[in-house]
Amino acid sequence: MATRDLTATAGGDEAVTVDQAGALETHGIDYIPEGERQGRARELFAVWAAPNVSYLSLVVGAAMILMGLTLVQALAVIVAGNLLWALTGVLAVSGPAAGTTGSVISRAMYGIRGNKAMIALTGWLISAAYLALNWSAASVAAIGLAGRLGAPDNPLLSGVIICAIAAATLVVSVYGHATILRLYSVLSVALTVVFVVVSGYVLGHTDWSYRPAESLHGAQLWVTLIGGFAIIASTPLSYSNSPDLARYLPRDSKPAAVAGWTALGAFLPSVLFTGIGALAATTLDMSDPEAALEGILPSWFIPVFVIAVVLNTVANNGLTAYSAGLAFQSIGVRLGRVWSVLVIGVLATAMTLWALLVFDFLTSVNTMLELVVVVTGPAVGVYVADIWICRNRYDGPQLLDERRGSAFWYDGGVHRAGVGAFLAGALAGVLCVSTSFWTGPVSALLGGANLSLVAGLVVSAVVYAAVGRTRRRAVITEPRA
């Protein structure tokens, strides 16, 4: 997906405009013609690495220790949970196949009308919540830096900082795909350098023989391990937008390469820096991660670190806001891509202001991550099952045909198998979830173990594969040339 200045002609007269960095992307959810496809799968590595060189990873990694796990247990959970980035990679292969966004491809799973409701929940509201979560993390660090520099501690300044970070993110999202590709290749290197320096200071303060004051045993240990896994895995399961970043690749791109570079780009930094967060918590009080890290960093480096945190948030939320804008179009709202991005940005900014100025940050993080898998797990399960059923054969123009009686109209615009499978998975998740305010009956029988992620993911995939196979295969056609 390089941003070379390429043009092609149709019939010798009509020029084809190619996606270019620094220019507003002209495509929304429409089909990307083969003549406008370019790049190689390996370029996806930097796209997914930059958002995951993350301050939030440090916070989540530290939470594993704060939950009472030993260092070895925490690191094992971190690796296991991040393995689910493989599913993000699997979803990405549908982008080049269809030449359109994941929020359109999912019409194959839910039907033209059913998909609108599904995307409103899984592709729009969840995106707004994640935007707020990441903006909150960056804003906490930036507000702390402002205080160190002598700025007054008041809600007005905090609100200005939050809005400034949000505005920078939305600029990236508005410019779109090619700008993201070019910018993130630079950010992934710069952010890695900064976070490696931070990691060096953390390693110097790590207690490698750390054990909690009261070790967990038996059922309590398993409940905590499963809960930690759910928290870690909630991040890769939230990225069902990977087809959006791969859709400009040529149709003949190798699926293994698309999936592999996507998953690897996210997995490596996620494991590394979430692990560093766990190491930090062996000696530092990571209940206040900003103060803890600033306590071991040299004073001259703290502003560099905070700037890196903000840039990482811009990178992370740039992808999320970009795809949320596309999802907004998929719902049927008659807005261009730019205005769709701005709408989601305003909503998420309001949520961020509420989370930081009204609510507690760490409580916001934990509550969000506890709940998100109940919805995102089943959505990913259905999507992966559909790719398997149809062998990744998607026809973009057919998916964009919303007329009654079109290939993906199904029954009154709803694919009952897809919607039913999602609801079955969500119900399984609710029955098996364990949060600070709700424990499902299955979870209660198991001593509070949070099995919502595995239950929702597996149940939705199995149900869809069982009841949706025949009808789904009936509408598969050969991709257009």
Side-chain angles (χ1 to χ4, degrees), residues 117 144 251:
R251 191 200 308 272

Side-chain angles (χ1 to χ4, degrees), residues 280-300:
T282 61
T283 58
L284 304 178
D285 180 10
M286 291 294 283
S287 60
D288 186 353
E290 178 196 356
L293 292 172
E294 289 182 358
I296 64 171
L297 296 174
S299 58
W300 64 267

Side-chain angles (χ1 to χ4, degrees), residues 78-125:
I78 287 167
V79 173
N82 277 299
L83 287 175
L84 270 73
W85 283 111
L87 297 181
T88 308
V90 171
L91 300 189
V93 305
S94 63
T100 186
T101 66
S103 57
V104 171
I105 296 170
S106 54
R107 292 174 178 176
M109 298 142 224
Y110 304 114
I112 301 300
R113 287 179 172 171
N115 188 60
K116 293 180 179 181
M118 296 300 305
I119 292 302
L121 176 63
T122 63
W124 201 72
L125 287 178

